[in-house]
Amino acid sequence: MIADLIKESIKKLMALTPYRLSRHRENRFDATHSCLGYFQQLGYRPSLIIDGGAYLGTFADAAQRAFPAAEIHLVEPQPAARAPLEAIARRRGWTFHACALSDRVGSVPLVCKATPSTGARITAAEEEAVDVPASTIDTLFASRLRLFPDPRALLKLDLQGYELQALRGAVASLPLIELVLVEVSFFRQGPEPTISELVNFFDQQGFDLFDVVGLSGRTRDGRLRQGDFAFVRRGSDLSLDTAWA
């Protein structure tokens, strides 16, 4: 009990510093959750937050702590995650959407487990999968976003390689979104888009790459495998300060 209390105290103290402790070789760890405080310090105040690939709500929890006034929506297709997400959404005043994000409304095959997993993914291959409902960001959120006089919405996408398909279903919503946090892959293992494809898509939609908020390398050799990029709508107040120092 005492040892657990000491460990928890150390973790809390380390969270206040730019450093970390690891049993493994040095790695550029995922800092997506902690970057929310950074955007808060820059004056960003989203009215609506979309957590695409919500898993069990850990990002939404961090987002609510950073932006307590924001309306929060969870989107997660895993059948095993439905009950816990419905429960936490009721407790926290969030809205839960039990579907996958895609470029069309319908259904998609999802590779998933009997318990919630961060590795659940949509597949086009001959794999054991379950059909789950699919919707688009525009169908779910475009009309809701238009209700806000200054939406400044935040979109987070962690869809295991399906991010570009989801973004293609958000063309009407993206002009009402100011900040997008999206997972990227540095090399392909399946259908995930290349970084250049994502950057080109966002450029065409009026967004600039603003920051790299998380990087993850392989434990065995440190080679980058994934990261989280922040794209900001061109002309946003977030981009106005271009001073070098």
Side-chain angles (χ1 to χ4, degrees), residues 71-139:
E71 179 179 306
I72 295 180
H73 293 257
L74 312 177
V75 187
E76 176 58 60
Q78 293 184 69
R82 180 165 187 163
L85 284 177
E86 286 177 338
I88 193 173
R90 283 193 299 268
R91 292 196 307 270
R92 305 291 289 273
W94 303 340
T95 302
F96 170 53
H97 307 269
C99 63
L101 292 175
S102 185
D103 56 354
R104 59 183 173 82
V105 175
S107 64
V108 292
L110 183 75
V111 177
C112 56
K113 299 179 180 179
T115 56
S117 167
T118 57
R121 56 188 171 79
I122 295 169
T123 181
E126 294 296 326
E127 298 181 85
E128 185 176 346
V130 296
D131 286 336
V132 297
S135 190
T136 68
I137 292 171
D138 283 344
T139 300

Side-chain angles (χ1 to χ4, degrees), residues 32 52 59 154-159 161-164 166-167 179-185 193 195 198-199 202 209 211-214 226-231:
T32 305
F59 176 84
L154 187 159
L155 171 64
K156 167 257 181 181
L157 293 177
D158 183 354
L159 307 180
Y162 211 66
E163 289 80 12
L164 190 54
L167 288 164
L179 172 63
V180 183
L181 301 176
V182 61
E183 186 177 73
V184 302
S185 297
I195 290 175
L198 279 170
V199 171
F202 278 109
L209 178 60
D211 204 346
V212 177
V213 297
Q226 287 186 315
D228 292 288
F229 285 5
F231 291 90

Side-chain angles (χ1 to χ4, degrees), residues 2-16:
I2 294 177
D4 290 339
L5 289 173
I6 292 173
K7 287 180 181 178
E8 189 62 29
S9 297
I10 292 173
K11 287 180 181 179
K12 289 180 179 179
L13 288 171
M14 289 298 296
L16 299 175

